[in-house]
Amino acid sequence: MKDLKEMTNEELSQLIAQASALLANKSNDSIALVKPEAESDLTEQLESNPEEGKAEFELVLRARAFKGSKKCWLARLDYNEKHKMVRSRSFLDADLVDRKQQSARVWTERKLFKVQLKQGDWLEFCQTGSAKYDSREIVQYKDGKFLNQRGDEVETDFERI
């Protein structure tokens, strides 16, 4: 295998695709080995239709003084279907943060996130809920719909771009 610095963009893209496939097949912290034929089939599928199953969405989350934790955030989840537990969470940076200060202690904040999702991606988002609790939702993007952990369709504020 070549040194990463010596690889072309195309070779790096193929390496990333192969690594993603291996990570997707990871189960119980053991990597499922992919046969070389299956690897090349996967690479051909990705090259022939790289945008298939991807969609870009825009989401605005809100936080307010005196409401819940006073925070709002969005995170991608690495979700283990078999055990129904989150294996890792990576927080996404907001594209725009708009904070309006009404007084020294009273403020509202809006964060705009632009997210590109593939089939099967899991997201968790948190925003202002009631006075004591945040509103948290874990959703999966599947077949153009957002589903909760039980598989029921969820209404979201995601706007397709």
Side-chain angles (χ1 to χ4, degrees), residues 108-123:
T108 58
E109 182 175 75
R110 291 174 5 133
K111 290 184 180 179
L112 171 73
F113 296 90
K114 289 185 181 174
V115 184
Q116 194 172 46
L117 298 174
K118 304 183 298 208
Q119 193 75 311
D121 279 353
W122 286 91
L123 292 175

Side-chain angles (χ1 to χ4, degrees), residues 2-3 5 12 16 18 25 30-31 34 36 43 56 65 69-70 73 82 86 111 116 128 142 150 152 157:
K2 289 184 185 177
D3 187 15
K5 292 178 183 177
L12 286 170
I16 290 170
Q18 291 170 0
N25 291 329
S30 64
I31 295 177
V34 178
T43 306
E56 194 166 336
S69 66
K70 305 176 192 99
W73 46 263
K82 186 175 181 182
V86 176
K111 290 184 180 179
Q116 194 172 46
T128 295
K142 201 172 201 178
R150 293 182 306 274
D152 302 327
D157 294 337

Side-chain angles (χ1 to χ4, degrees), residues 84-99:
K84 298 289 184 196
M85 63 191 323
V86 176
R87 292 194 332 221
S88 67
R89 176 188 292 158
S90 58
F91 292 94
L92 303 176
D93 293 328
D95 291 325
L96 173 72
V97 177
D98 178 25
R99 187 171 181 145

